[in-house]
Amino acid sequence: MAEQAAMPAAGGPARWLARFDEGFASVALALMVLLPLAEIALRPLMGRGIENASVLVQHLGLLLAMFGAVAAERHGHLSTLGSSLGQLGSERSRAWVQAFAKGSAALLCGMLALASWRFVASEIEGAQTLAYGLPVWWVQAGMPLGFALLGFKLGLRCGPGLLTRLALGLTLPLSGWLLAAAGDGQGGLLWPALALLLLALLAGAPVFAVLGGLALALFWSDGLPLASIALSHYQITVNPSLPALPLFTLAGLVMARTGAAQRLGTLFVALFGGGARGTVLAAAVLCSAFTAFTGGSGVTILALGGLLLPLLRNAGYPEQRGIGLVTSASALGVLLAPSVPLIMYAVIARVPIMDMFLAGLVPALVMVACLLLFGGFLRGSGAAGKGPAPSRPNARQALAAAWVAKWELLAPVVAIGSLASGLATPTESAALTAAYALLTQALAHRELGWRLLARCLSECAQLIGGVMLILGMALALTNFLVDAGIPDLAVEWVQGAIPNKYLFLLALCVCLFVAAALMEIFAALAVLVPLLLPLALAYGIDPVHFGIIFLAAMEVGFLCPPAGMNIYFAAAMFGKTIRYVARAVLPAMLAIFVGTLLIALLPGLSTGLVTLLGSARGG
């Protein structure tokens, strides 16, 4: 995934809208933290909690997703595959390509706004309430409003001059609305729409708009109601397990933006010893663990890169390999709890979140070992004459550093302990973890003030908003393919072509590597898991094992263009070219492939802990 370059906000009304969307999304996120905490406190005190608290939190997630996405557009954080066409021709032609990409997205947002309004209109007739008499459709109305705002803001980017921008900002989404209204349920030509969508994707249109446009084209061509797309988006955003995503992400961002990274870095260096070898081990483990909590490997590079690269250089480690280590190790936290993709797979595949947390632990260690051994990052790390002599792990320094970092070390205990003990639901566990991070960084370390808190809330809202738009549109596309019987046809064809389970696993790993290079991880989860999971089940592969294979293979996507966001973050962080960083991570891509094969061929690595602890709980 490539991040769009941040663009200045348009003048006047757009500035007001920008402040509104960020503030609204941040308030929704804050309430998502507070309501579960109030529920936990009120149940033992009063015998009952807040009416429909969990449902309220889920619908706050819908508002967070829509208005967080609008804020993400203003800051240039909507995911794209980059602008391949935009690199060609003169400056004027590149401007036209950008205008085409933004304009296409604005038009599609108008169509999605109409689809969402049709869904909301049907819900108004049902007259359902959330809690305390609040109609459900009041919250659902955030979907058409959010898509309309997105279309307006994308339209503002399409031309020079204030009047031209305002005209395009209004007419493009309105044209999309009218086009969808005229064709809803009528049927239409599919191939011209697919060609235009491919051009828009190559021109740099946001991924969510292209996925949404593909779903619109498929539903439209079959004469199906477009409101079904909005229904899919609504279903995924109010999934009971989904509020855990923004809450765990908020906890990680708070730690990334305060001094937690430095405290943990000091501890890990003391644990593994000084010198190049010890620093390499510390960097690999720390980056992996930090990514699991921050929810994004790019955040880990930004938070730890400035700390770890100087340590590696001072220890005599080559700079390019140091950049490769930090960049690639930051991708490995996907398998560790409470990683966002790990939770996302559990939601989509309908397996217990706790099982996925347990299943990822040993494979994560395997992937770190493969990175260090097969990636060659340990090779020559003890070279003499380059930096200080290696020092042994120092128990006294490690204990002192652990005491300083005690609040950060206890965060996983709060997150996983509250969930594993049964004291809290996944959402309540995530809320407890977010509150714990906020309170410890604000009160114990005094590093979190109101301004930084507002920044963390806004960044979390933008990240989750962009992700949820992709997931919602991808789910609509997947639902169409499932209804068309594509997974069943794929099972029959693949079983006929590949009768052997181990050959299938090898083919699966190769296909997932290709998909990881082309698709953003959350889009891949939403689109590919419902299609590939039935195949895996047909070969007798456990869904938990399949999930770990899938996520392990997806780790390479962080390192491989065009979807490899880690190389873009690293290039910006370390002031190097993308080609320089890409060369640095090439050995890591081979190591991740080897690790994925090991995990695929040895299912006990994934299911062993789940079976062992499941039996213990059952006993």
Side-chain angles (χ1 to χ4, degrees), residues 31-229:
L31 289 173
M32 290 177 72
V33 176
L34 294 173
L35 282 178
L37 297 179
E39 178 75 3
I40 293 172
L42 289 174
R43 277 200 304 258
L45 291 176
M46 303 180 63
R48 61 185 180 89
I50 298 169
E51 181 185 342
N52 277 348
S54 60
V55 179
L56 282 172
V57 172
Q58 293 161 31
H59 282 75
L60 284 168
L62 173 62
L63 296 176
L64 167 67
M66 294 310 305
F67 291 96
V70 178
E73 193 287 328
R74 180 170 79 96
H75 291 279
H77 293 161
L78 289 179
S79 301
T80 74
L81 293 185
S83 179
S84 301
L85 297 178
Q87 308 303 317
L88 305 175
S90 64
E91 184 177 346
R92 184 176 182 182
S93 65
R94 290 196 294 268
W96 277 105
V97 168
Q98 184 182 25
F100 172 71
K102 303 290 187 184
S104 302
L107 187 78
L108 290 167
C109 282
M111 299 179 72
L112 292 169
L114 181 279
S116 301
W117 173 248
R118 290 278 168 88
F119 167 70
V120 172
S122 68
E123 293 291 305
I124 292 174
E125 297 176 2
Q128 294 184 350
T129 59
L130 274 178
Y132 304 107
L134 177 67
V136 176
W137 74 267
W138 284 14
V139 179
Q140 293 169 335
M143 287 195 295
L145 178 59
F147 280 121
L149 283 174
L150 266 175
F152 172 70
K153 297 185 76 174
L154 285 163
L156 289 175
R157 312 277 187 184
C158 293
L162 178 59
L163 290 179
T164 303
R165 293 203 306 269
L166 285 174
L168 291 171
L170 292 170
T171 57
L172 285 171
L174 179 60
S175 299
W177 178 290
L178 295 175
L179 180 63
D184 194 3
Q186 301 300 312
L189 295 175
L190 179 61
W191 292 109
L194 296 182
L196 288 172
L197 287 170
L198 178 60
L199 282 175
L201 181 67
L202 294 176
V207 171
F208 89 88
V210 177
L211 288 174
L214 183 55
L216 286 165
L218 291 170
F219 276 85
W220 197 347
S221 67
D222 275 14
L224 298 174
L226 300 184
S228 302
I229 298 170

Side-chain angles (χ1 to χ4, degrees), residues 334-382:
V334 166
L335 296 175
L336 284 171
S339 143
V340 172
L342 202 62
I343 299 172
M344 196 66 248
Y345 175 81
V347 170
I348 294 172
R350 299 178 182 177
V351 298
I353 290 177
M354 196 61 209
D355 284 0
M356 292 304 299
F357 282 2
L358 292 172
L361 182 58
V362 174
L365 297 176
V366 169
M367 294 300 279
V368 172
C370 287
L371 177 70
L372 294 173
L373 296 175
F374 296 107
F377 289 106
L378 281 180
R379 193 182 310 125
S381 58

Side-chain angles (χ1 to χ4, degrees), residues 549-619:
I549 297 171
F550 189 97
L551 293 173
M554 283 294 120
E555 288 177 344
V556 82
F558 291 104
L559 308 177
C560 183
M565 68 175 181
N566 276 26
I567 60 175
Y568 303 114
F569 276 111
M573 177 69 198
F574 301 121
K576 303 294 182 181
T577 64
I578 290 175
R579 181 174 297 181
Y580 180 95
V581 178
R583 283 201 304 268
V585 300
L586 274 177
M589 295 173 66
L590 173 63
I592 291 174
F593 184 71
V594 172
T596 303
L597 283 178
L598 287 174
I599 291 167
L601 298 175
L602 301 173
L605 295 174
S606 304
T607 59
L609 274 179
V610 178
T611 303
L612 179 65
L613 295 181
S615 301
R617 288 197 299 266

